[in-house]
Amino acid sequence: MSQPGFLQRLKFHFFNFYPPYFGAGIKVKALNKERTLFSTTMKLTPFNKNYVGTQFGGSLYSMCDPFYMLILMEHLGPGYLVWDKAATIRFIKPGEGTVRAEFYIPKEKIQEIKDETDRKRKMDVTFTAQILDVKTGKLVAEVDKVIYVRKKLKE
């Protein structure tokens, strides 16, 4: 149990019990050892079904909300402010069953973000996540997340 990162990984699995996620049926299914990739799923249930019987758009967005920010916070550390700044969701087709999404930032990209933030003191970075139907693999929605990163001022 003393392996590095064990408590951090365990903490992320508690997202499954966070009330908005629990109520919508959103599950955090994976977090890799490098803490650079999350994956989530969401089954269609009476609690996340909209008026026409498909996935509620707000739930589709919720399953994508914090993960790029969390990956950057984890890797950049306390010397940086990392905030969700903006988001856009494009609905492609109705979510009629279980959907999944992955959020991945390669370590090289994290280093580029750190280096550019160190040079400029602040920056916006955009990531795009795809929400896919698990059964068919077809695209249900795309979510663009704009993340604000700023080097903290030394006190």
Side-chain angles (χ1 to χ4, degrees):
M1 285 247 202
S2 63
Q3 80 188 65
F6 173 77
L7 290 177
Q8 283 299 105
R9 288 194 310 277
L10 185 63
K11 177 175 78 172
F12 288 126
H13 289 290
F14 282 105
F15 270 107
N16 292 331
F17 302 102
Y18 179 53
Y21 279 20
F22 184 78
I26 297 166
K27 300 281 186 205
V28 176
K29 295 300 241 183
L31 168 63
N32 69 356
K33 282 197 291 191
E34 295 80 26
R35 298 176 321 277
T36 58
L37 178 133
F38 279 95
S39 86
T40 59
T41 63
M42 182 173 60
K43 293 179 179 178
L44 182 62
T45 72
F47 299 109
N48 63 19
K49 195 181 283 191
N50 64 22
Y51 186 74
V52 296
T54 61
Q55 293 280 7
F56 174 63
S59 296
L60 288 168
Y61 172 74
S62 287
M63 73 183 287
C64 300
D65 187 23
F67 299 106
Y68 289 118
M69 180 185 77
L70 292 174
I71 292 168
L72 287 175
M73 288 173 71
E74 180 77 9
H75 286 274
L76 296 176
Y80 297 82
L81 291 173
V82 181
W83 297 325
D84 278 324
K85 185 173 182 179
T88 303
I89 187 166
R90 289 178 298 286
F91 301 104
I92 310 299
K93 71 179 263 351
E96 299 176 324
T98 301
V99 294
R100 68 179 174 84
E102 286 189 350
F103 316 94
Y104 173 63
I105 308 175
K107 284 193 170 190
E108 300 79 24
K109 179 68 174 174
I110 294 168
Q111 187 62 50
E112 287 174 22
I113 292 166
K114 182 183 183 312
D115 293 345
E116 187 170 338
T117 302
D118 288 348
R119 277 192 311 276
K120 296 181 178 178
R121 198 172 88 66
K122 63 182 178 179
M123 69 176 291
D124 291 342
V125 60
T126 302
F127 299 99
T128 300
Q130 294 186 328
I131 302 172
L132 303 172
D133 183 289
V134 168
K135 193 176 196 180
T136 66
K138 291 190 176 177
L139 184 63
V140 171
E142 287 185 319
V143 176
D144 294 329
K145 296 286 297 187
V146 178
I147 309 297
Y148 172 81
V149 181
R150 188 183 85 192
K151 189 153 177 81
K152 285 185 178 176
L153 299 175
K154 295 188 180 180
E155 296 176 12

